[in-house]
Amino acid sequence: MESILQVDNLEVCFRTAHGEVPAVRGASFSVRPGEVLSIVGESGSGKSVTSLSLMGLLPESARAMGSVRFDDRDLLRLNGEEMRELRGNGISMIFQEPMTSLNPVFTVGFQLMEPLRIHRDQSKKEAYREAVRLLEQVEIPEAKKRMEQFPHELSGGMRQRVMIAIALACRPKLLIADEPTTALDVTIQAQILDLIVDLKDRTGMGVILITHDMGVVAETADRVLVMYAGRVVEAAGVETLFHEPKHPYTQGLLQSVPNVDDSLYPLNSIPGYMPKPGEIQRGCPFHPRCREAVEKCRDHHPPSFAFGTEHVASCWLGEEEGEAHGGSSAG
Amino acid sequence: MAALIVRRLFQLVPLLLGVTFVVFISLHLAPGDPASIIGGPTATAEDVESIRQKLGLDDPLFTQYFRYLGDLFQGDLGYSYQSNQSVAEAIMLRFPNTFNLSVASMIVATLIGVGAGILSAIRQNSAVDTLSTIGALAGVSIPNFWLGSMLILIFSVYWQWFPAAGFTQPPWTWAGLRELILPAITLGTGSAALIARMTRSAVLEVIRQDYIRTARAKGVKEKSVILVHCMRNAMIPVITVIGLNFGFLLGGTIITEQVFAINGVGRLMVQAIAARDYPMVQGSVLLVATLFILVNLIVDILYAWIDPRIRYE
Ligand SMILES: Nc1ncnc2c1ncn2[C@@H]1O[C@H](COP(=O)(O)OP(=O)(O)OP(=O)(O)O)[C@@H](O)[C@H]1O
Ligand SMILES: [Mg+2]
């Protein structure tokens, strides 16, 4: 199927006191309608920066290069106003912290009607009716009463539902969810994920789901992107990834489930730490932590190797079995 | 909300009682004898003594204070030692001028302060920001009397754009507005500077909140992100500063009214203090204190209106 989003060779650099540091390095991937693409990786691997660059929401100190095709347009070439018209409309995003993501001084109704009034030019009355419908769609009871309430009157789970309703108000083709359940209780987590998957099935939108949690990946993702130090190191369908991971980093992640970043489950299978952006490194960025590293890994960055359709990994171990896939990165 | 207002109005009573006490004591402890001032340089010791008796100044302080309070509770502010005029009347005659001056200054201070604060926050570390920082520093450092005199020299004497002195016309007329502009700028500049600094830091604090990112992610225009989503939150600390500055401004009217020869409560107070006209001083201070407390009550109401989390507490 035709993809709705096609990212090629995305690079994001930050200007900092220590010069330019690359946070994302040559990431390529695509999202198709009706699928959940999950992005996993340790903290600092570049997941959020990648998603913010799709939204045009990077801070001013950041520079994004490469190409991000959405709806026959390259988002990285759009001006500020064109990008603004797309946000909350063609592409929407929800964030990790439902407690702080809603504006405390405006009612739920106001915040929910806002995208409808901006992008759909709806009158107050139309927007109100549509907003109530959206609240019902995200299974919030007593929708009309909620419209008048303020965020502090809602629980975390409810607020995240409101965020989802806001994100879906203009029926986007792509929803980016950056760790939407990390801050929630386990039972609420499952409900929110079910809701997202259910809404995706109904609307046919594509979803990028960023998470630390391999359990979440297993349950919701169709395809998975594994990021390490700003690079996509492996990409595969969810079944393939769990059963035949090619990259030693992915294998390590799978052994360290349930939660990559949970301090209760240290990454004992992957000792060492991920290099920070700008840290000078040669060869494969993972080789200092890799049990299977060989001489070559120290000196040469591995290109992407393809293993059948839809499965690529950037590791020298795949050189024999895989097929050179061009570039130095998977996707 | 109504409960909040009623509660605050009740708090007003002990607060004002405290004010009367402090003013009364400090006046009577300060050197200077109203009776000998009234008697004039030619008065004999007996004359002065009889004046003192007539005014009740020879009673113990304690008795005098409670007599004053008793009158006060009956709405009687007393009579001027100097002119025998009713204090309430004298004040009400001049109060509109002081009120117009302080409100106009507050408006000037808020417009300039909030505007400059927002600009320097969203253009952080730019030329605009630097300029506004320097302006703010100058604004708080320049004394009112000097700024007022300079404005008169430049805009009244040299260019003759604005009148130099007095309030003669009602402030809603063009002529009245012209009389108001220079004094309002003189008095408002210091507060504008403080408000600008507070606005800047409040905006910088709010702008990095998650909900601002959410607003942008919804496609809200940058102008509304700042003026609606950000400012509604940033106004909470800014309003506090505006309210506190009102007290500052009321104090400032004393000098500004002198410089611009405005017949207001500030000038009345200065004259009354010089003449040890106790009832007049007490009456004016009480009025100013009430005004300050009322403005801060309004600030509290505005809080509750802006921030629903307070409203529901
Ligand atoms: N404004 C910034 N200036 C400089 N560097 C930044 C900035 N924002 C992010 N980075 C760097 O970019 C890298 C990737 O950060 P990113 O937030 O994308 O990580 P992440 O994978 O989302 O991590 P987490 O799981 O903790 O959310 C990090 O090393 C971070 O230090
Ligand atoms: Mg992140």
PDB file of all heavy atoms in Angstrom, chain B residues 134-144 189-190 193:
ATOM      1  N   ILE B 134      17.754  47.595  29.507  1.00  0.00           N
ATOM      2  CA  ILE B 134      18.361  48.887  29.846  1.00  0.00           C
ATOM      3  C   ILE B 134      17.266  49.882  30.218  1.00  0.00           C
ATOM      4  O   ILE B 134      17.362  50.611  31.216  1.00  0.00           O
ATOM      5  CB  ILE B 134      19.191  49.423  28.655  1.00  0.00           C
ATOM      6  CG1 ILE B 134      20.372  48.473  28.391  1.00  0.00           C
ATOM      7  CG2 ILE B 134      19.679  50.843  28.927  1.00  0.00           C
ATOM      8  CD1 ILE B 134      21.143  48.799  27.129  1.00  0.00           C
ATOM      9  N   GLY B 135      16.185  49.892  29.424  1.00  0.00           N
ATOM     10  CA  GLY B 135      15.065  50.787  29.698  1.00  0.00           C
ATOM     11  C   GLY B 135      14.497  50.545  31.081  1.00  0.00           C
ATOM     12  O   GLY B 135      14.189  51.482  31.816  1.00  0.00           O
ATOM     13  N   ALA B 136      14.374  49.262  31.440  1.00  0.00           N
ATOM     14  CA  ALA B 136      13.801  48.928  32.743  1.00  0.00           C
ATOM     15  C   ALA B 136      14.711  49.404  33.872  1.00  0.00           C
ATOM     16  O   ALA B 136      14.251  49.942  34.871  1.00  0.00           O
ATOM     17  CB  ALA B 136      13.581  47.420  32.838  1.00  0.00           C
ATOM     18  N   LEU B 137      16.006  49.202  33.658  1.00  0.00           N
ATOM     19  CA  LEU B 137      16.967  49.641  34.671  1.00  0.00           C
ATOM     20  C   LEU B 137      16.875  51.159  34.849  1.00  0.00           C
ATOM     21  O   LEU B 137      16.805  51.673  35.971  1.00  0.00           O
ATOM     22  CB  LEU B 137      18.384  49.247  34.224  1.00  0.00           C
ATOM     23  CG  LEU B 137      19.429  49.268  35.322  1.00  0.00           C
ATOM     24  CD1 LEU B 137      19.101  48.210  36.359  1.00  0.00           C
ATOM     25  CD2 LEU B 137      20.815  49.024  34.727  1.00  0.00           C
ATOM     26  N   ALA B 138      16.841  51.868  33.714  1.00  0.00           N
ATOM     27  CA  ALA B 138      16.710  53.321  33.763  1.00  0.00           C
ATOM     28  C   ALA B 138      15.390  53.694  34.432  1.00  0.00           C
ATOM     29  O   ALA B 138      15.340  54.580  35.282  1.00  0.00           O
ATOM     30  CB  ALA B 138      16.777  53.894  32.347  1.00  0.00           C
ATOM     31  N   GLY B 139      14.327  52.989  34.067  1.00  0.00           N
ATOM     32  CA  GLY B 139      12.996  53.289  34.582  1.00  0.00           C
ATOM     33  C   GLY B 139      12.917  53.226  36.095  1.00  0.00           C
ATOM     34  O   GLY B 139      12.316  54.091  36.725  1.00  0.00           O
ATOM     35  N   VAL B 140      13.537  52.199  36.700  1.00  0.00           N
ATOM     36  CA  VAL B 140      13.466  52.116  38.162  1.00  0.00           C
ATOM     37  C   VAL B 140      14.456  53.073  38.835  1.00  0.00           C
ATOM     38  O   VAL B 140      14.268  53.439  39.976  1.00  0.00           O
ATOM     39  CB  VAL B 140      13.715  50.685  38.714  1.00  0.00           C
ATOM     40  CG1 VAL B 140      12.514  49.821  38.492  1.00  0.00           C
ATOM     41  CG2 VAL B 140      14.950  50.081  38.120  1.00  0.00           C
ATOM     42  N   SER B 141      15.529  53.449  38.103  1.00  0.00           N
ATOM     43  CA  SER B 141      16.565  54.252  38.764  1.00  0.00           C
ATOM     44  C   SER B 141      16.272  55.748  38.721  1.00  0.00           C
ATOM     45  O   SER B 141      16.697  56.485  39.600  1.00  0.00           O
ATOM     46  CB  SER B 141      17.935  54.019  38.106  1.00  0.00           C
ATOM     47  OG  SER B 141      18.056  52.697  37.687  1.00  0.00           O
ATOM     48  N   ILE B 142      15.564  56.194  37.665  1.00  0.00           N
ATOM     49  CA  ILE B 142      15.356  57.637  37.540  1.00  0.00           C
ATOM     50  C   ILE B 142      14.339  58.107  38.568  1.00  0.00           C
ATOM     51  O   ILE B 142      13.240  57.586  38.631  1.00  0.00           O
ATOM     52  CB  ILE B 142      14.852  57.973  36.120  1.00  0.00           C
ATOM     53  CG1 ILE B 142      15.945  57.659  35.100  1.00  0.00           C
ATOM     54  CG2 ILE B 142      14.458  59.439  36.021  1.00  0.00           C
ATOM     55  CD1 ILE B 142      15.495  57.871  33.680  1.00  0.00           C
ATOM     56  N   PRO B 143      14.687  59.116  39.378  1.00  0.00           N
ATOM     57  CA  PRO B 143      13.709  59.604  40.355  1.00  0.00           C
ATOM     58  C   PRO B 143      12.569  60.359  39.660  1.00  0.00           C
ATOM     59  O   PRO B 143      12.779  61.012  38.638  1.00  0.00           O
ATOM     60  CB  PRO B 143      14.529  60.553  41.238  1.00  0.00           C
ATOM     61  CG  PRO B 143      15.896  60.612  40.681  1.00  0.00           C
ATOM     62  CD  PRO B 143      15.978  59.783  39.455  1.00  0.00           C
ATOM     63  N   ASN B 144      11.375  60.229  40.243  1.00  0.00           N
ATOM     64  CA  ASN B 144      10.191  60.849  39.652  1.00  0.00           C
ATOM     65  C   ASN B 144      10.335  62.357  39.438  1.00  0.00           C
ATOM     66  O   ASN B 144       9.945  62.878  38.403  1.00  0.00           O
ATOM     67  CB  ASN B 144       8.991  60.630  40.572  1.00  0.00           C
ATOM     68  CG  ASN B 144       8.367  59.283  40.343  1.00  0.00           C
ATOM     69  OD1 ASN B 144       8.795  58.552  39.448  1.00  0.00           O
ATOM     70  ND2 ASN B 144       7.381  58.939  41.139  1.00  0.00           N
ATOM     71  N   THR B 189       6.480  55.295  35.000  1.00  0.00           N
ATOM     72  CA  THR B 189       7.699  54.715  34.429  1.00  0.00           C
ATOM     73  C   THR B 189       8.351  53.665  35.334  1.00  0.00           C
ATOM     74  O   THR B 189       8.709  52.580  34.874  1.00  0.00           O
ATOM     75  CB  THR B 189       8.721  55.818  34.113  1.00  0.00           C
ATOM     76  OG1 THR B 189       8.098  56.720  33.204  1.00  0.00           O
ATOM     77  CG2 THR B 189       9.952  55.242  33.454  1.00  0.00           C
ATOM     78  N   GLY B 190       8.480  53.998  36.600  1.00  0.00           N
ATOM     79  CA  GLY B 190       9.119  53.050  37.521  1.00  0.00           C
ATOM     80  C   GLY B 190       8.362  51.739  37.569  1.00  0.00           C
ATOM     81  O   GLY B 190       8.950  50.651  37.486  1.00  0.00           O
ATOM     82  N   ALA B 193       8.717  49.577  34.479  1.00  0.00           N
ATOM     83  CA  ALA B 193       9.965  48.826  34.453  1.00  0.00           C
ATOM     84  C   ALA B 193       9.835  47.527  35.238  1.00  0.00           C
ATOM     85  O   ALA B 193      10.208  46.450  34.763  1.00  0.00           O
ATOM     86  CB  ALA B 193      11.087  49.688  35.024  1.00  0.00           C
TER      87      ALA B 193
END
